């Protein structure tokens, strides 16, 4: 995703998909804009007594298939354009896995690491107060995203319920288990990615003990490493912003996690070769999983990549130029809107459980997640074959057509 104007980039991707499927022109015109974007200014009394005003947004891109759905990001670089782009992506993501939700996204331009716990709680509550009239279990359901977590969701839920005077757990997902969260939610993104990875590996005839490199041993990447090791894969390369570690016999993921917990990085782990963080992409592995930042695979490093399969756990990790090179080399890419949709699928399960007041066991969540991810993979694969295109465009065309159908059925064309 280009840094300058993320929403323009999102619209370019839509245009590319539209070249293949040519949707109704009246619907296409509407999809050039979110349905609503809310901009809010949040005055917070800081610990030293002065008031600081933070800017936040909630973008509601499309609700034809169901209530808007998408996380809230707290990051200094958050902008209106980025939030809008992410809300469009959420619309395609919920459509590609065919859950009855639309797409939205929220954010506040803030560096949460610089806030005290009290200031962070005040900001979270203040953001929820500002958007409360525009969210709800049947309207728009936020969730965690970059630098927001279950604790913040708990504060926001509490604020919402105080305002409206009733328990409404379904207004927000990614909550702690004690107040209506779902089993599996914590590692749902990685689990969903594992299910589609297994499907893709089967298509390519990759063996169960294939080698894997994961760029970014953070929240999503570390769960992915653990799950793949458990499934019999050889996790050979792991990296974070400090360095890369490599052992082709297979790293011991739990030991690496303990090392990272103690030292703050995977670097320095004794059971591996230690290298700089950039070297992660250079290793010859069967499967590469970008799980760090946007555009981490770009024109500068794409030629170093030697792999057969890329599963995008991160959002937008491959630049447009790099993607062209990878496609030419016939490297299969499972795109982000499919590969990391497990998180939003389990968010949807959380809502369903909240609505019925009846909570599922872990096994039930996993079975239902697998069913949805497997079906979505197969449908995207079929679409890719039918249009003789990439999996990314297959996922986009499938998703955009689903949104188009819902808009038509509502008479919005
Ligand atoms: P995180 O901050 O926990 O982890 C990111 C990791 O990337 C960190 O370990 C960081 O050290 C590492 N990193 C940063 N720069 C790097 C570099 N140059 N080389 C190697 N590693 C580097 O974030 P996360 O929640 O795991 O999210 C990662 C990606 O996955 C993001 O794109 C996010 O949007 C996407 N994602 C996450 C979830 C989720 O449930 N966590 C859901 C959907 C999508």
């Amino acid at each position: 995703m280009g840094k300058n104007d993320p929403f323009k980039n999102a619209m370019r991707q839509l245009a590319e998909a539209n070249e293949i499927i040519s949707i109704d022109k009246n619907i296409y015109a509407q999809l050039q804009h979110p349905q609503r974007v809310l901009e809010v200014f949040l005055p917070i009394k800081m610990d030293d007594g002065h008031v600081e005003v933070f800017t936040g947004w909630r973008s509601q891109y499309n609700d034809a298939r169901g209530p808007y759905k998408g996380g809230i990001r707290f990051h200094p670089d958050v902008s209106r354009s980025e939030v809008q782009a992410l809300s469009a992506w959420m619309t395609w993501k919920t459509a590609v896995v065919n859950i009855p939700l639309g797409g939205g996204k929220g954010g506040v331009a803030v560096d949460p690491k610089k806030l005290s716990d009290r200031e962070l709680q005040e900001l979270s509550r203040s953001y929820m107060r500002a958007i409360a009239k525009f969210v709800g279990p049947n309207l728009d359901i936020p969730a965690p995203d970059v630098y927001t977590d279950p604790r913040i969701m708990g504060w926001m839920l509490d604020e919402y319920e105080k305002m409206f005077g009733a328990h409404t757990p379904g207004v927000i997902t990614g909550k702690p288990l004690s107040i209506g969260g779902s089993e599996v939610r914590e590692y749902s993104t990685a689990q969903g990615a594992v299910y589609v990875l297994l499907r893709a590996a089967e298509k390519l005839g990759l063996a169960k003990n294939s080698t894997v490199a994961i760029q970014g041993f953070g929240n999503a990447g570390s769960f992915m490493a653990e799950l793949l090791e458990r499934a019999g894969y050889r996790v050979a390369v792991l990296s974070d912003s400090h360095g890369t570690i490599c052992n082709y016999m297979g790293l011991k993921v739990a030991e690496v996690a303990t090392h990272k917990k103690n030292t703050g990085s995977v670097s320095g782990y004794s059971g591996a070769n230690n290298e700089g963080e950039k070297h992660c992409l250079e290793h010859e592995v069967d499967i590469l999983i970008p799980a760090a930042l946007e555009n981490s695979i770009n024109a500068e490093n794409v030629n170093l990549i030697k792999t057969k399969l890329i599963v995008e756990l991160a959002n937008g990790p491959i630049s447009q130029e790099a993607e062209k090179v990878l496609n030419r080399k016939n490297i299969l890419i499972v795109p982000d809107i499919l590969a990391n949709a497990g998180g939003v699928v389990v968010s949807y399960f959380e809502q369903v459980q909240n609505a019925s007041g009846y909570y599922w066991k872990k096994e039930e969540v996993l079975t239902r997640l697998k069913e949805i991810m497997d079906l979505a993979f197969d449908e995207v694969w079929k679409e890719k074959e039918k249009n003789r295109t990439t999996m990314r465009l297959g996922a986009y065309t499938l998703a955009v057509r689903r949104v188009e159908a819902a808009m038509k059925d509502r008479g919005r064309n």
Side-chain angles (χ1 to χ4, degrees), residues 189 215-220 239-241 260 277 291-293 313-315 340:
T189 303
Q215 181 198 39
F217 193 66
N219 192 3
S239 76
D240 61 21
S241 54
K260 172 143 187 163
E277 111 271 347
L293 306 176
L313 194 57
N315 279 314
N340 68 33

Side-chain angles (χ1 to χ4, degrees), residues 73 86 93 105 113 144-148 185-190 214-223 238-244 260 264-266 277-278 280-281 290-294 296 312-317 336 339-344:
R73 181 172 287 200
L86 291 164
K93 207 178 274 193
K105 200 82 180 191
K113 289 181 184 164
D145 190 61
V146 175
Y147 294 151
T148 55
R185 181 63 176 78
E186 202 188 8
Y187 58 96
S188 53
T189 303
I214 302 179
Q215 181 198 39
F217 193 66
N219 192 3
S222 56
F223 281 122
L238 287 172
S239 76
D240 61 21
S241 54
H242 300 279
T244 299
K260 172 143 187 163
S265 169
V266 298
E277 111 271 347
K278 287 203 170 69
C280 176
L281 299 174
L293 306 176
E294 285 155 13
S296 62
E312 291 186 332
L313 194 57
N315 279 314
D336 46 10
N340 68 33
V344 74

Side-chain angles (χ1 to χ4, degrees), residues 192-207 210 233 286-287 308-312 331-335 338-339 373-374 377-378 381 384 391:
V194 169
Y195 292 140
V196 293
L197 180 148
L198 293 176
R199 245 6 192 211
E202 202 180 299
K203 295 278 183 202
L204 296 181
L206 296 177
S210 295
Y233 284 88
D286 298 307
I287 304 168
K308 297 173 185 133
L309 170 63
I310 298 180
V311 178
E312 291 186 332
I331 295 173
L332 181 66
I333 302 170
V334 184
L338 171 64
M373 296 306 295
D374 283 354
F377 181 93
D378 291 348
W381 189 267
K384 153 187 133 54
M391 276 199 89

Side-chain angles (χ1 to χ4, degrees), residues 326-369:
L326 296 169
N327 287 340
R328 270 203 302 275
K329 288 187 179 170
N330 245 337
I331 295 173
L332 181 66
I333 302 170
V334 184
D336 46 10
I337 60 168
L338 171 64
N340 68 33
V344 74
V345 172
V346 176
S347 263
Y348 159 59
F349 293 162
E350 185 174 329
Q351 272 180 269
V352 172
Q353 295 169 78
N354 293 153
S356 63
Y358 182 79
Y359 290 83
W360 309 346
K361 292 201 170 64
K362 184 176 115 183
E363 292 67 29
E364 181 158 8
V365 177
L366 288 171
T367 307
R368 290 176 190 263
L369 174 62

